[in-house]
Amino acid sequence: MATLTMTPSRFGNSFSGSQSQYRASAPSMADTLPSIDFGFNELRERMAQFTMRFDDFIERGRKRVLEERNAFRMNVAEMEDVQRTRKIAITELESKSSTHAQTLAKEAAETDEMHEAIRTLSAQKEEHVERRDRIKDDINSVQAIIKQKREAQAVHQRALESQARHNIPELRFWEHCLGLRIEASGFGVEDQLRFVFGCVDERDQSKEVWFELLMGAKEYEVPNTKPKLEKERLEETIDRLNETKEVGPFLKAMRSMFVETLKS
């Protein structure tokens, strides 16, 4: 609102005097103006109500801000707790992941070792199977050979038994009439007998000669004689014995060779 300001001048005194006179003689202009009710009381009440509402609004706002700040702080604290928990969980998961990776690597290494062991065992199994088959073949072959040898031995044994039945009377004749004596070998060799002849030297009837006959081998052998006999004739005599298996003719031939050797 504009304010009217009067500036004093040289006519101030005269004007003031005339104004005073006019006031005394005439009614005031203010008295002639209509009365105006500006409603200051209502305005004051309205202002007071507005102030109360504004204070209430401010209070509610302050409370809301405090509540929101407290809620924000609580949310931040919760988020920090969640973050710490998640960090711990992440650390645990990383540790578990590392342990799991190490376990997987160890299992992979063990798997490779097991596969290598399986391959080695498979190779060994194949080798053992081949060896077993070879051994089976060898066993079958040996069994066949043994069977053949047993059959041949049986045939040979039967031949020896048959020959023995014929040789026993002749051997007794040689023992009693021609001074033949059979005794064990002086060298202690198994299946080796010594045949001793007496009365073969006309100059010395007490002199004895002998030879040793080895019977454990497949063929008969004469490893030792006393005195020494001619090698070729001895080998021929042994060959005839191995061919015929007849001991009587063999003893006759051996005695004859001793007699000839003593005469020479």
Side-chain angles (χ1 to χ4, degrees), residues 11 20 25 43 75 100-101 107 137-138 163 171 173 179 223 251 261:
F11 300 102
S20 299
S25 62
L43 179 60
N75 291 333
H100 183 64
E107 290 179 353
D137 294 338
D138 294 340
Q163 184 66 34
L171 286 174
F173 170 78
L251 294 176
T261 300

Side-chain angles (χ1 to χ4, degrees), residues 225-252:
T225 63
K226 183 182 179 181
K228 296 292 184 181
L229 299 177
E230 185 179 351
K231 184 176 180 180
E232 293 182 358
R233 291 187 60 188
L234 178 61
E235 289 178 353
E236 292 176 358
T237 305
I238 295 172
D239 290 339
R240 283 196 301 271
L241 173 63
N242 289 322
E243 290 176 0
T244 62
K245 307 299 181 184
E246 295 180 356
V247 179
F250 170 71
L251 294 176
K252 292 179 181 179

Side-chain angles (χ1 to χ4, degrees), residues 15 26 35 39 60 75 81 98-99 103 114 155 158 172 188 203 214 219 232 237 249 257:
F15 179 75
S35 63
R60 290 196 305 270
N75 291 333
D81 291 337
S98 177
T99 303
T103 303
M114 290 179 65
V155 173
R158 288 193 296 270
R172 288 177 179 174
R203 294 168 294 185
L214 181 61
E219 294 183 346
E232 293 182 358
T237 305
M257 282 191 289

Side-chain angles (χ1 to χ4, degrees), residues 8 27 56 74 76 112 184 190 202 224 236-237 239 252 260:
D56 184 60
M74 291 179 66
V76 170
D112 294 338
E190 188 177 358
E202 295 179 353
N224 300 304
E236 292 176 358
T237 305
D239 290 339
K252 292 179 181 179
E260 294 177 2

Side-chain angles (χ1 to χ4, degrees), residues 84-152:
R84 285 193 297 271
T85 304
R86 290 183 177 176
K87 284 183 178 179
I88 294 172
I90 289 172
T91 303
E92 292 178 354
L93 289 174
E94 288 178 349
S95 177
K96 290 181 179 180
S97 177
S98 177
T99 303
H100 183 64
Q102 293 176 0
T103 303
L104 290 177
K106 183 178 179 181
E107 290 179 353
E110 291 177 353
T111 302
D112 294 338
E113 291 178 359
M114 290 179 65
H115 288 166
E116 183 65 24
I118 289 172
R119 286 192 292 270
T120 302
L121 291 175
S122 298
Q124 291 179 356
K125 179 183 177 181
E126 293 178 357
E127 182 180 357
H128 291 164
V129 169
E130 293 178 356
R131 184 181 299 174
R132 182 196 64 188
D133 294 338
R134 290 196 301 269
I135 291 174
K136 283 184 177 179
D137 294 338
D138 294 340
I139 290 173
N140 293 331
S141 177
V142 170
Q143 287 177 346
I145 294 172
I146 291 173
K147 183 179 179 181
Q148 292 177 357
K149 288 186 176 180
R150 284 179 177 177
E151 292 176 353

